[in-house]
Amino acid sequence: GASSPFYSGGPGSAAARLFGLSTAVGASSPSSSSGTSSLRTCRDIRYPINLQNERRAMEILLEIASRGLSKYPTSLARDRADLRDEVAYPKYSNVRNAKLQVRGEKEVLHHFALWARTAVHVIDVLLHELESERKLRKMAGGVGGIVAGEGHSSSLNQGGANVQGANQNEQLGYDYVIQAMEDDDDCHSTILRYCSDVLGAVRRDELNRIASSAMGSSA
């Protein structure tokens, strides 16, 4: 039958799913721990529900990071400038250590804000690309196939419709954006891997779904 939601079974079950805790903790019988060795948790989630939901989640992440940064009386740039002044902020002093702590907090928030902004941009590129693919499929009558991992522009070469002009802006597509991120030495690896691996997997699945739907409707 259908699997139960992770929160079924009460708060204890939800905690186990969220934090990877054994459901046998606090149980009165050792037998209650059977079957928990393969328990999957929310830490195993690696695939977005859909692009629209993922975009909204990233917008919320950006809002949280921005709100956190707004509560500090000084900016990250100001903290970095202050730390260069070893007279006002002597090494190993409490005032310097406090400034280092706050600087680190801001760096984390800035990282996640950049991650969220980058993700929203890449998702917008993907949504535009997928919509263009649907239109091109409709024009081409669903002829041609998509190979997972390949660019969408190659899927319509046999479509019979004149779609070459639609590819003149291919440099604005997902592949171009990911390549630019890979070439950027300042792009953090976690942001690149998320956009390349996680969003890339969604892209492949969506392109294959569009191709299957188009071929099914033309049959």
Side-chain angles (χ1 to χ4, degrees):
S3 59
S4 300
F6 82 91
Y7 51 81
S8 62
S13 176
R17 296 286 185 175
L18 285 169
F19 305 113
L21 303 177
S22 171
T23 54
V25 175
S28 58
S29 171
S31 62
S32 62
S33 64
S34 61
T36 60
S37 59
S38 61
L39 178 67
R40 294 182 63 81
T41 76
C42 290
R43 294 175 182 175
D44 297 311
I45 298 173
R46 294 291 184 274
Y47 194 89
I49 295 174
N50 55 55
L51 288 174
Q52 290 79 5
N53 188 83
E54 192 72 1
R55 189 185 192 283
R56 182 56 187 144
M58 286 297 168
E59 288 177 340
I60 293 173
L61 175 59
L62 180 56
E63 291 171 6
I64 292 172
S66 299
R67 187 162 58 247
L69 287 168
S70 69
K71 294 182 179 180
Y72 290 97
T74 60
S75 66
L76 176 59
R78 179 71 262 168
D79 291 344
R80 288 171 172 168
D82 288 343
L83 287 169
R84 289 194 290 268
D85 183 357
E86 294 186 1
V87 175
Y89 297 89
K91 287 185 176 181
Y92 315 115
S93 64
N94 287 338
V95 66
R96 185 176 185 84
N97 288 337
K99 179 68 75 171
L100 287 168
Q101 171 67 28
V102 172
R103 182 193 66 178
E105 294 171 0
K106 293 175 185 176
E107 287 175 340
V108 171
L109 289 171
H110 274 287
H111 170 73
F112 281 104
L114 177 60
W115 187 333
R117 283 194 300 271
T118 304
V120 168
H121 170 69
V122 174
I123 291 172
D124 285 343
V125 170
L126 278 175
L127 291 172
H128 176 75
E129 183 180 86
L130 292 172
E131 182 59 27
S132 297
E133 179 71 3
R134 292 186 186 94
K135 292 178 180 178
L136 291 173
R137 282 284 179 179
K138 186 176 181 180
M139 290 170 55
V143 180
I146 289 205
V147 179
E150 292 188 358
H152 74 287
S153 61
S154 64
S155 66
L156 300 174
N157 291 337
Q158 303 174 6
N162 181 16
V163 298
Q164 296 302 319
N167 297 327
Q168 62 185 351
N169 291 325
E170 185 180 1
Q171 68 271 17
L172 301 179
Y174 172 80
D175 289 331
Y176 176 85
V177 171
I178 295 301
Q179 186 60 56
M181 292 173 67
E182 291 178 346
D183 294 340
D184 184 359
D185 293 336
D186 293 328
C187 182
H188 198 282
S189 60
T190 56
I191 300 176
L192 173 59
R193 292 276 67 83
Y194 168 80
C195 293
S196 175
D197 298 348
V198 177
L199 296 182
V202 179
R203 174 181 182 261
R204 287 191 297 271
D205 288 348
E206 287 298 321
L207 287 173
N208 284 326
R209 188 175 295 113
I210 292 170
S212 298
S213 176
M215 286 187 289
S217 61
S218 64

